[in-house]
């Protein structure tokens, strides 16, 4: 056979591959968060019948003479540019208005540093719901990862506000005042946002306060004959019980991890002075001075023994905060959705359905928080401590563990990202692909006719 026949066969195969890409794009024209593919051609190998020369003193040069052998698939690319917003009216449906990916995975993911993030899946599909165990999941059962709300270990409602400085305060006094004011402001917050990347889950539900579980205490007021003793409830039944933070050392690095209380099967609140290392402690980055005891889930159809808080009107805010309304009318912030960015978003690998992996071609993954929620923080609640005066000691986290403050991306709730398939473009590409395929068949037909004439030369 001639080279024209081989070139035409290569053209047929390549155009069929492009038609497969077009067909997949059109099939997913109504698939939320679908990213359209694009196939490009590349020239195939060449044979050189005469090489080129630059010429000499008496003769001119000549160009090389080469004959090609068709084309092949050059690349199949993904268009990862953000698509349009498609409203659905569902509160937990959301889309990323900008670049980036949601992080989803299994419930047992243990993400402390940036090196662990690649075990999670990347997704642009924001169809979320609350599963029967209180986790925020997508419709395929993957759990949404983010930064959860936890108990503030430094909460102290009785803290004294520092006195205001006079007009003649020195710079050193002003600096000291700012530090004390920051500590006071922190002490007035019941909850904070943990920087450990965890599966987002509704907080637990507080059990009914009793004397046995420490929820009701006796308060004595007055002296002598005027002394009275009354009972005081430390919490309300059903109010949110958030995780506490526990020190964890991994590979020589110190992290503070989110821990759900293990007291659902105990009758009383443990003594804060107990030496059990598994019990949360008082003080900075410990339990704090008080907590509610969560109730047990005794339903026969329960998924776990933990009773999570019943929240209504779940929704996602612009900064990624997942919120709900508790039974007492308070707004509860479950946590903040994490956003992942890769060095090359077009280089992610499509693994299954709406999921991608940051494999070869994508580069490094960086985790972001929206709206400046965790600006200047590091994954795993790592604490940055400066070295001593002699230059020794100190703790400097890996720069890759820094949480990026994403300013150009926000979450739009009540809708999903539409497919990026452009039907007009795909139909135009289909026409040119069909004509290209048809032209290659003509080459085969003409080549066959020429070979037939050659064979019929001897009759």
């Amino acid at each position: 056979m001639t080279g024209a026949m081989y070139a035409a066969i290569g053209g047929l195969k390549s155009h069929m591959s492009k038609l497969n890409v077009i067909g997949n794009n059109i099939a997913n024209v109504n698939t939320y968060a679908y990213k359209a593919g694009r196939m490009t051609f590349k020239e195939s190998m060449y044979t050189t019948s005469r090489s080129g020369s630059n010429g000499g003193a008496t003769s001119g040069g000549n160009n090389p003479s080469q004959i090609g052998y068709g084309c092949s698939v050059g690349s199949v690319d993904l268009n990862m540019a953000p698509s349009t917003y498609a409203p659905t009216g569902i509160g937990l449906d959301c889309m990323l208005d900008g670049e980036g990916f949601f992080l989803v995975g299994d419930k047992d993911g243990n993400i402390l540093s940036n090196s662990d993030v690649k075990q999670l899946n990347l997704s642009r599909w924001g169809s979320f719901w609350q599963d029967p165990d209180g986790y925020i999941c997508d419709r395929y059962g993957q759990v949404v990862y983010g930064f959860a709300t936890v108990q503030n270990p430094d909460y102290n409602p009785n803290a004294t506000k520092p006195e205001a400085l006079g007009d003649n305060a020195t710079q050193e006094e002003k600096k000291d005042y700012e530090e004390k004011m920051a500590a006071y402001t922190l002490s007035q917050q019941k909850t904070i946002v943990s920087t450990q990347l965890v599966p987002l889950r509704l907080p637990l539900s507080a059990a009914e306060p009793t004397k046995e579980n420490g929820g009701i205490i006796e308060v004595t007021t007055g002296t002598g004959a005027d002394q009275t003793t009354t009972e005081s409830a430390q919490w309300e039944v059903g109010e949110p019980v958030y995780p506490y933070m526990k020190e964890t050392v991994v590979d020589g690095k110190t992290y503070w991890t989110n821990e759900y209380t293990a007291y659902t099967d105990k009758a009383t609140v443990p003594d804060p002075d107990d030496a059990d290392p598994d019990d949360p402690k008082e003080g900075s980055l410990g339990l704090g001075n008080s907590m509610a005891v969560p109730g047990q889930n005794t339903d026969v159809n329960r998924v776990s023994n933990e009773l999570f808080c019943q929240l209504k009107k779940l929704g996602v805010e612009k900064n990624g905060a997942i919120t709900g309304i508790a039974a007492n009318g308070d707004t509860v912030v479950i946590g903040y959705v994490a956003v992942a960015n890769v060095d090359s978003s077009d280089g992610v690998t499509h693994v299954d359905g709406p999921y991608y992996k940051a494999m070869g071609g994508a580069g490094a993954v960086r985790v972001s928080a929206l709206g400046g929620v965790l600006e200047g923080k590091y994954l795993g609640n790592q604490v940055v401590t400066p070295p001593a005066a002699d230059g020794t000691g100190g703790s400097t986290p890996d720069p890759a563990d820094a949480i990026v403050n994403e300013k150009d991306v926000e979450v739009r709730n009540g809708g999903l990202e539409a497919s990026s398939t452009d039907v007009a473009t795909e139909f135009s590409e289909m026409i040119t692909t069909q004509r290209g395929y048809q032209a290659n068949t003509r080459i085969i037909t003409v080549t066959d006719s020429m070979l037939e004439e050659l064979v019929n030369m001897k009759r």
Side-chain angles (χ1 to χ4, degrees):
M1 293 197 300
T2 68
M5 184 76 77
Y6 288 115
I9 293 173
L12 291 177
K13 291 181 178 179
S14 300
H15 279 81
M16 182 56 70
S17 296
K18 183 173 182 179
L19 191 62
N20 291 337
V21 174
I22 294 172
N24 187 52
N25 289 340
I26 294 177
N28 287 281
V29 67
N30 288 318
T31 302
Y32 289 120
Y34 173 75
K35 296 303 177 184
R38 180 197 66 174
M39 202 206 87
T40 61
F41 297 95
K42 74 173 182 179
E43 298 171 89
S44 191
M45 60 177 290
Y46 282 82
T47 60
T48 302
S49 59
R50 185 184 66 184
S51 61
S53 67
N54 294 326
T58 59
S59 62
N62 60 274
N63 297 327
S65 297
Q66 296 176 296
I67 299 176
Y69 282 84
C71 66
S72 59
V73 177
S75 66
V76 179
D77 310 311
L78 290 175
N79 178 13
M80 299 303 297
S83 188
T84 57
Y85 175 77
T88 62
I90 299 176
L92 280 179
D93 279 356
C94 59
M95 71 163 280
L96 287 175
D97 190 2
E99 296 183 358
F101 300 88
F102 297 112
L103 286 166
V104 297
D106 298 329
K107 293 180 180 180
D108 57 355
N110 183 25
I111 310 299
L112 290 178
S113 62
N114 183 269
S115 60
D116 301 323
V117 176
K118 284 195 173 184
Q119 66 182 267
L120 300 177
N121 290 327
L122 308 176
S123 174
R124 294 281 302 182
W125 186 49
S127 181
F128 302 148
W129 69 297
Q130 172 202 318
D131 80 347
D133 205 19
Y135 286 93
I136 305 300
C137 305
D138 67 15
R139 302 291 174 171
Y140 288 167
Q142 294 276 289
V143 186
V144 180
Y145 275 68
F147 306 107
T149 300
V150 298
Q151 298 180 54
N152 180 8
D154 298 311
Y155 174 62
N156 181 10
N158 300 319
T160 303
K161 185 176 182 179
E163 296 182 4
L165 298 177
D167 297 334
N168 299 325
T170 64
Q171 291 295 330
E172 185 176 347
E173 290 174 336
K174 291 180 179 179
K175 182 179 179 181
D176 181 65
Y177 173 78
E178 291 176 355
E179 292 177 352
K180 291 181 178 179
M181 194 64 190
Y184 170 76
T185 302
L186 178 62
S187 69
Q188 301 305 296
Q189 302 173 8
K190 291 184 177 181
T191 60
I192 58 175
V193 182
S194 168
T195 67
Q196 184 188 2
L197 197 57
V198 296
L200 291 178
R201 188 188 187 193
L202 274 63
L204 301 184
S205 179
E208 183 177 356
T210 63
K211 290 183 179 180
E212 289 73 19
N213 63 20
I216 295 179
I217 61 174
E218 293 183 347
V219 179
T220 302
T221 59
T223 58
D226 297 329
Q227 181 174 325
T228 57
T229 300
T230 58
E231 293 183 344
S232 174
Q234 301 302 291
W235 62 77
E236 295 181 5
V237 60
E239 76 175 39
V241 180
Y242 298 96
Y244 63 90
M245 300 175 70
K246 178 180 178 181
E247 183 178 6
T248 303
V249 179
V250 179
D251 296 333
K253 282 189 175 182
T254 301
Y255 302 91
W256 290 94
T257 58
N258 304 353
E259 299 289 339
Y260 273 101
T261 177
Y263 306 140
T264 53
D265 57 350
K266 295 185 179 181
T268 59
V269 178
D271 184 357
D273 296 327
D274 189 350
D276 185 354
D278 293 330
D279 286 343
K281 299 295 188 292
E282 293 186 4
S284 179
L285 293 178
L287 171 62
N289 297 323
S290 65
M291 68 172 293
V293 173
Q296 290 192 24
N297 187 359
T298 58
D299 192 288
V300 293
N301 298 317
R302 64 182 180 272
V303 179
S304 68
N305 293 328
E306 299 164 326
L307 185 65
F308 63 85
C309 190
Q310 294 281 349
L311 299 180
K312 306 297 182 183
K313 298 182 179 179
L314 291 175
V316 187
E317 306 294 333
K318 287 184 177 181
N319 61 355
I322 298 181
T323 62
I325 306 299
N328 60 2
D330 292 342
T331 299
V332 174
V333 179
I334 300 169
Y336 294 80
V337 173
V339 176
N341 285 281
V342 295
D343 294 337
S344 176
S345 58
D346 293 345
V348 294
T349 301
H350 212 153
V351 289
D352 181 35
Y355 304 130
Y356 305 88
K357 282 283 191 182
M359 302 172 72
V365 182
R366 298 295 302 274
V367 180
S368 306
L370 307 181
V373 176
L374 296 173
E375 185 173 5
K377 305 293 185 180
Y378 289 83
L379 290 174
N381 300 292
Q382 300 178 59
V383 179
V384 181
T385 56
D390 59 358
T392 61
S395 174
T396 304
D398 188 335
D401 293 339
I403 299 174
V404 180
N405 178 26
E406 188 62 69
K407 298 180 180 179
D408 297 329
V409 179
E410 65 179 24
V411 174
R412 300 184 64 181
N413 71 331
L416 299 171
E417 184 177 15
S419 170
S420 66
T421 297
D422 187 330
V423 177
T425 299
E426 298 302 327
F427 272 73
S428 299
E429 291 290 325
M430 189 191 304
I431 293 172
T432 59
T433 302
Q434 181 186 9
R435 292 308 179 195
Y437 190 89
Q438 185 180 33
N440 279 276
T441 61
R442 293 295 183 267
I443 294 294
I444 295 177
T445 302
V446 171
T447 303
D448 178 59
S449 297
M450 293 174 67
L451 292 174
E452 181 182 9
E453 292 295 328
L454 179 63
V455 171
N456 291 334
M457 284 178 65
K458 182 177 183 303
R459 295 185 180 271

